[in-house]
Amino acid sequence: MEEQQSTPPTLHVEDAIATIRLNRPAQANRIEPEDQQTLIEHCQLLAKSPRVRAVILTGTGKHFSAGADLTTLLESTEESPGTELVVNPFAAMVSAVEHLPQPVICALNGGIYGGATDLALACDLRLGTPAVKMFMPAARLGLHYYLDGMRRYVSRLGFNTAKRLFLFAENLDAEQMLATGFIDRIVPADQLQDAAREAALTAASMAPLAVQGMKAALNDLAQERLDPQKFALRESQCLRSDDIREGVKAWKEKRTPLFEGR
C-alpha cells in the first residue's frame, strides 16, 4: 500500500474559491509547529487577495484534525523556565483564520479533536459528515486553554455547552454537534466537498464589501469588542459603493448582479 504523503497545509485557488487542506493523514492531520506558520502565511496571502471571495478549510483522509502537537509546546516552556507568562502559539494561527475577510466554510471530513475544534469554530460555516465526532481533552491532559479559544466556545456554543466540553470532556457525535451548533449541517460523506463548494460559491456571489464588513462586525460583536466608529465607516463605505448601486439595479432588472468590491 502506498504511503500517504505528509505535508504542511496546502493552498489551492480556483476562480474565486480558495481551499486550505490539512495534509498529514498518517498523523490524523495533527498540526505541527511548521503547519501553524504555514497556515498563518496562507491566511496573510488570502487576506490581501481581491480575487478570492470565499475559503474552504478541510482535511485529507478520514480525520479532520487531531489538533496541536503538545509535545513541542511543552518543550518551548521548558526552554524558558523563568518566563512568567507562556503564549500558546496555536492561538495566533486560529485567530488568523477567524480574521480572514472572506467567509470560511469548514468541511469536516472526519473526527476533530483538541485545538482543531477551535480552528473549526473560527470558521463561518461548518459542514460535517454523519461519522464526524469531536472531543476536547484539555482538562484530561492538564492543559489550560487559551483565552480567545474559550471566547469562541462561549460565543458559538453557549456557556453551558462550553462548560460541558471543557470541564467534563464530553464526546459529541454528529447529531449532538448539530444540536449544540458546532456544525450547521450534516452532509453525506460523498457530498461533503460539493456542498462546501456550493456554499463557497454562494458566498462568493455576494457583494464583498458588505459580506466582509458584516463578517468583521459579527465576529467583533460575538467577542464584545465592536468599535462603533469602524462599524460606521464600513457601513458608510457600502452605502457609497458601486456594489450597492449594482445590487439595486440588478434586483430591479431581475438579473444576477456583478459585484466588483468597490
Side-chain angles (χ1 to χ4, degrees):
M1 182 177 178
E2 185 178 353
E3 185 177 355
Q4 292 177 302
Q5 187 179 19
S6 179
T7 72
T10 62
L11 174 63
H12 174 73
V13 177
E14 182 179 350
D15 300 324
I17 311 300
T19 300
I20 297 174
R21 183 177 294 275
L22 305 178
N23 200 44
R24 298 191 187 277
Q27 295 82 36
N29 291 326
R30 184 180 64 212
I31 299 172
E32 307 286 353
E34 66 175 307
D35 301 340
Q36 296 174 32
Q37 184 56 38
T38 297
L39 208 151
I40 288 173
E41 290 171 0
H42 289 338
C43 290
Q44 290 171 340
L45 183 66
L46 292 173
K48 298 175 183 177
S49 173
R51 172 189 174 192
V52 174
R53 296 191 180 180
V55 178
I56 297 170
L57 174 64
T58 192
T60 300
K62 64 180 182 178
H63 300 283
F64 175 75
S65 176
D69 179 4
L70 293 182
T71 301
T72 57
L73 178 60
L74 291 177
E75 289 173 351
S76 69
T77 62
E78 291 168 358
E79 290 170 0
S80 52
T83 303
E84 182 179 5
L85 299 178
V86 178
V87 177
N88 188 334
F90 201 87
M93 179 201 71
V94 179
S95 291
V97 172
E98 182 181 45
H99 294 153
L100 275 170
Q102 302 93 343
V104 182
I105 298 94
C106 186
L108 292 168
N109 53 296
I112 176 169
Y113 311 102
T117 62
D118 187 38
L119 181 59
L121 290 176
C123 300
D124 304 298
L125 183 73
R126 291 171 293 279
L127 309 178
T129 70
V132 73
K133 55 187 177 180
M134 68 85 63
F135 174 48
M136 168 49 71
R140 289 191 182 183
L141 298 171
L143 174 70
H144 191 306
Y145 220 67
Y146 51 89
L147 180 58
D148 280 351
M150 298 192 77
R151 280 177 175 155
R152 269 183 290 271
Y153 259 79
V154 172
S155 66
R156 271 58 161 182
L157 307 179
F159 183 68
N160 290 336
T161 298
K163 278 195 168 185
R164 286 167 49 202
L165 297 173
F166 276 117
L167 307 185
F168 299 93
E170 289 188 17
N171 288 270
L172 301 185
D173 61 21
E175 291 292 342
Q176 292 169 315
M177 292 167 74
L178 182 67
T180 61
F182 193 98
I183 55 177
D184 298 290
R185 195 160 79 242
I186 298 175
V187 181
D190 61 351
Q191 299 175 27
L192 179 66
Q193 298 304 322
D194 287 341
R197 182 164 178 80
E198 181 181 353
L201 287 170
T202 297
S205 72
M206 306 294 177
L209 289 179
V211 166
Q212 294 176 15
M214 290 190 289
K215 171 178 173 173
L218 288 166
N219 282 341
D220 287 345
L221 282 167
Q223 299 200 9
E224 299 183 352
R225 62 186 183 196
L226 181 72
D227 183 327
Q229 185 175 6
K230 287 183 179 178
F231 180 93
L233 287 172
R234 286 193 295 255
E235 182 185 13
S236 298
Q237 182 185 21
C238 286
L239 287 170
R240 293 183 174 129
S241 69
D242 291 339
D243 277 357
I244 193 170
R245 285 189 282 273
E246 165 64 8
V248 172
K249 185 179 179 183
W251 184 275
K252 290 178 178 177
E253 296 174 356
K254 295 181 172 55
R255 62 173 175 81
T256 302
L258 297 174
F259 295 119
E260 297 184 5
R262 62 184 185 187

